Amino acid sequence: MTERLYLYDTTLRDGQQTQGVQFSTPEKRVIAAALDELGVDYIEGGWPGANPTDSEFFEARPDLRATFTAFGMTKRAGRSAGNDEVLAAVMNAGTRAVCLVGKTHDFHVTTALGITLEENLENIRASVAHMVAQGREALFDAEHFFDGYRASPGYALSCCKAAYEAGARWVVLCDTNGGTLPAEVGRIVSEVIAAGIPGERLGIHCHDDTGNAVACSLAAVDAGARQIQGTLNGLGERCGNANLTSLIPTLLLKEPYASAYETGVTREGLTGLVRLSRKLDDILNRVPLRSAPYVGASAFAHKAGLHASAILKDPTTYEHIAPEWVGNTRLIPMSNQAGQSNLRARLQAAGIEVAAGDPRLAQILDEVKLREDQGYAYDGAQASFDLLAREQLGLLPRFFEIKRYRVTVERRKNRYDQMVSVSEAVVVVKIGDTKTLSVSESVDESGTDRGPVNALSKALAKDLGPYQASIDDMKLVDFRVRITQGGTEAVTRVIIDSEDGKGQRWSTVGVSPNIVDASFTALLDAIRWKLLRDGVEPQM
């Protein structure tokens, strides 16, 4: 028999405390719907009354399968739970569940709150009892619990028991400072259960200040806790919270968890994890962490020739799970360290079969090494490598020809008498017997200048005739520049990450002494690769 583990997402509340993160109400709705589709059990929407965005979100709350939860704090000393306006704002949000945070570290009670230990216990008891009386599912976040337990185990436990005995469905042990290590978390959770609070009523909430939030959460489950709190992509204050994009696949795919427990996330739902992770990064306008476990672009990348050779024979030689189980893909990077095993594996992944010993393999490797000497880097630009390999093999179709392009940058005053920069790009493209001239400026909808590369990108993608439908959903999501040589002979390398409407990403590279020319080369590769991948018929 499997036991049920409950997943509690706090991306929209604790994750919003990440430096530089502030979700809008529409963004919160998108994230909540995606979390609900994934299958988490609780979605914490924020703190009603704490800020206008959270209040607006709760006023027009989404229709969710998951238990929509409001967050707040226990009542303040000197007033009843029914007459505390801060608590009232949380209760008035009308959610099925309410999570209240309260102090469990005696030092914080007397120093931060400035009240007696008994007053704090009464605040916890009365607040939880008030929630239960109002028919809400009550959760108590035991703030600074592990620090408090070290300092005064009796008092920290009494706070948790006060919430439990008042009817809290969940008592959540919080490692608020993120400094507790897994072995200690496991020991303390076991002692809390032995003291009378059953594991099926205990949750765990870990921060990642030592890089152990996921391990600490698993240690709590091992000890008996049955609710796990965390955030997508590990968002959260300081170093972040326990990362659900690491925890969830571990629970579903790794023993002993896969056999012992079940969650609201199915194996089918797990295949959307990469897409969900990247959707959040896209909303935040952040570049996804390539090295992220399970969901990172490099999580299943195999650069060493020895690894790639083994992967060709059996992927389990260097992969702990199949990448498609979480919606990821295998990647065989190409570089000047690559051997024929890497090359054949990479070609095979692209659907190109070349026999071992084929002399064209050596030609491709020689070309890669020659270009990398010139400044190219193909281990981070797989789409450009695919195009290069197909060209060497005579398998690259000609979709269009660039006859010429021009970029101008003008410094001028706008209507507000402010000096601004405006870039304009002109691109002439030939498709078959037809030439098309496209012009575009770099100014976006808000009137902000986005630079010459943006102008080029817009002009290039503005009118590609028969190919337009395939590239309309393309967008540039990252742009990286590196100078590969110094002095007057400096060479610029540009790597561009592109994304389409399905959430698929690819990287292309361009190299030139001129940054605009290098960028244009990478942009051309991005479009050509998209047309090739979509199986578009060339019109040349």
Side-chain angles (χ1 to χ4, degrees):
M1 294 290 292
T2 58
E3 288 189 73
R4 185 70 156 83
L5 285 179
Y6 294 86
L7 300 172
Y8 185 107
D9 181 272
T10 181
T11 302
L12 301 179
R13 199 274 305 173
D14 218 343
Q16 189 168 247
Q17 294 175 204
T18 306
Q19 187 176 10
V21 170
Q22 182 61 52
F23 297 119
S24 67
T25 299
E27 287 170 344
K28 283 199 166 198
R29 294 183 66 86
V30 168
I31 295 168
L35 287 165
D36 200 44
E37 183 181 358
L38 178 65
V40 300
D41 300 289
Y42 294 83
I43 297 175
E44 190 176 74
W47 188 328
N51 59 72
T53 300
D54 281 5
S55 297
E56 181 184 349
F57 182 50
F58 280 94
E59 286 172 6
R61 60 181 179 271
D63 182 22
L64 302 172
R65 174 208 56 81
T67 300
F68 193 42
T69 308
F71 180 86
M73 66 180 184
T74 56
K75 80 172 189 70
R76 291 165 290 177
R79 63 193 74 192
S80 68
N83 290 317
D84 187 306
E85 65 274 14
V86 177
L87 180 54
V90 178
M91 297 296 292
N92 290 341
T95 55
R96 283 188 284 164
V98 176
C99 181
L100 297 183
V101 63
K103 303 291 187 185
T104 59
H105 188 177
D106 56 357
F107 167 72
H108 281 266
V109 173
T110 57
T111 303
L113 295 182
I115 61 176
T116 67
L117 299 182
E118 186 54 43
E119 282 179 311
N120 183 59
L121 288 173
E122 175 56 25
N123 289 346
I124 295 170
R125 273 192 296 264
S127 300
V128 173
H130 180 64
M131 288 192 289
V132 174
Q134 297 292 320
R136 310 298 175 81
E137 181 177 341
L139 297 91
F140 174 65
D141 265 8
E143 189 182 30
H144 292 288
F145 175 78
F146 291 94
D147 294 334
Y149 191 87
R150 286 190 211 97
S152 178
Y155 184 72
L157 272 172
S158 68
C159 293
C160 293
K161 286 183 176 180
Y164 172 65
E165 292 167 0
R169 167 64 182 92
W170 294 104
V171 175
V172 183
L173 309 180
C174 301
D175 186 25
T176 309
N177 284 352
T180 310
L181 297 180
E184 189 176 16
V185 168
R187 175 181 62 81
I188 292 175
V189 171
S190 296
E191 291 173 5
V192 171
I193 294 172
I197 301 179
E200 60 267 21
R201 303 283 286 275
L202 279 180
I204 184 70
H205 178 112
C206 294
H207 284 256
D208 204 33
D209 296 72
T210 66
N212 282 284
V214 169
C216 287
S217 300
L218 294 174
V221 171
D222 293 340
R226 293 297 175 259
Q227 186 200 85
I228 303 174
Q229 296 197 355
T231 59
L232 288 178
N233 293 351
L235 288 184
E237 208 158 18
R238 303 185 312 276
C239 303
N241 288 38
N243 191 341
L244 289 179
T245 52
S246 296
L247 272 165
I248 291 173
T250 297
L251 294 171
L252 267 67
L253 303 174
K254 296 295 181 179
E255 297 298 348
Y257 309 104
S259 298
Y261 305 104
E262 62 179 74
T263 71
V265 181
T266 64
R267 286 289 297 269
E268 182 182 5
L270 192 63
T271 60
L273 195 64
V274 168
R275 186 172 64 251
L276 174 57
S277 172
R278 291 178 182 173
K279 176 182 287 188
L280 178 63
D281 283 327
D282 192 40
I283 288 172
L284 296 174
N285 196 27
R286 304 197 322 181
V287 179
L289 181 63
R290 299 186 69 88
S291 60
Y294 294 104
V295 298
S298 297
F300 300 95
H302 308 281
K303 183 174 180 179
L306 179 65
H307 292 206
S309 176
I311 285 287
L312 276 174
K313 298 169 184 172
D314 188 336
T316 62
T317 52
Y318 284 96
E319 290 177 352
H320 66 112
I321 66 163
E324 58 268 20
W325 291 352
V326 292
N328 213 333
T329 54
R330 181 175 301 118
L331 185 62
I332 310 294
M334 292 306 303
S335 74
N336 58 14
Q337 301 176 38
Q340 289 202 8
S341 295
N342 284 56
L343 179 55
R344 289 186 62 235
R346 185 67 190 92
L347 294 173
Q348 189 178 69
I352 304 170
E353 293 290 342
V354 181
D358 189 312
R360 294 178 299 174
L361 293 174
Q363 292 173 13
I364 294 172
L365 287 176
D366 288 343
E367 185 66 21
V368 168
K369 292 173 183 179
L370 175 64
R371 293 200 182 193
E372 292 206 340
D373 283 344
Q374 296 169 354
Y376 282 85
Y378 289 106
D379 58 337
Q382 293 305 304
S384 285
F385 166 74
D386 283 359
L387 298 176
L388 168 64
R390 288 176 181 275
E391 185 177 34
Q392 294 294 312
L393 293 169
L395 300 175
L396 183 63
R398 290 184 67 222
F399 292 104
F400 55 85
E401 180 185 357
I402 300 296
K403 301 302 291 185
R404 65 182 177 89
Y405 79 89
R406 182 179 73 246
V407 179
T408 59
V409 180
E410 182 182 4
R411 187 78 171 158
R412 69 189 184 202
K413 285 193 174 184
N414 62 14
R415 59 179 175 174
Y416 304 108
D417 202 36
Q418 300 168 324
M419 290 299 296
V420 296
S421 294
V422 178
S423 302
E424 183 183 74
V426 177
V427 179
V428 177
V429 180
K430 184 179 180 183
I431 302 174
D433 296 326
T434 304
K435 284 185 183 180
T436 303
L437 183 148
S438 296
V439 181
S440 185
E441 284 193 342
S442 59
V443 178
D444 63 15
E445 295 81 0
S446 67
T448 303
D449 175 53
R450 296 299 181 186
V453 175
N454 177 266
L456 263 179
S457 177
K458 289 165 64 178
L460 182 60
K462 197 170 187 177
D463 185 7
L464 279 183
Y467 310 128
Q468 198 61 39
S470 182
I471 66 169
D472 274 342
D473 65 342
M474 273 184 63
K475 60 180 178 179
L476 189 154
V477 293
D478 194 25
F479 178 85
R480 303 186 297 281
V481 178
R482 183 168 182 178
I483 304 302
T484 62
Q485 298 176 26
T488 57
E489 297 180 355
V491 173
T492 302
R493 176 197 302 148
V494 170
I495 294 180
I496 287 176
D497 289 350
S498 302
E499 185 179 75
D500 65 12
K502 297 177 182 178
Q504 299 178 98
R505 290 187 179 228
W506 61 100
S507 300
T508 51
V509 62
V511 170
S512 172
N514 184 305
I515 187 172
V516 174
D517 192 48
S519 302
F520 193 66
T521 300
L523 286 169
L524 284 175
D525 273 6
I527 290 177
R528 285 172 173 147
W529 190 84
K530 175 74 160 61
L531 297 174
L532 185 68
R533 192 201 62 197
D534 288 356
V536 176
E537 190 70 27
Q539 302 296 311
M540 293 291 283

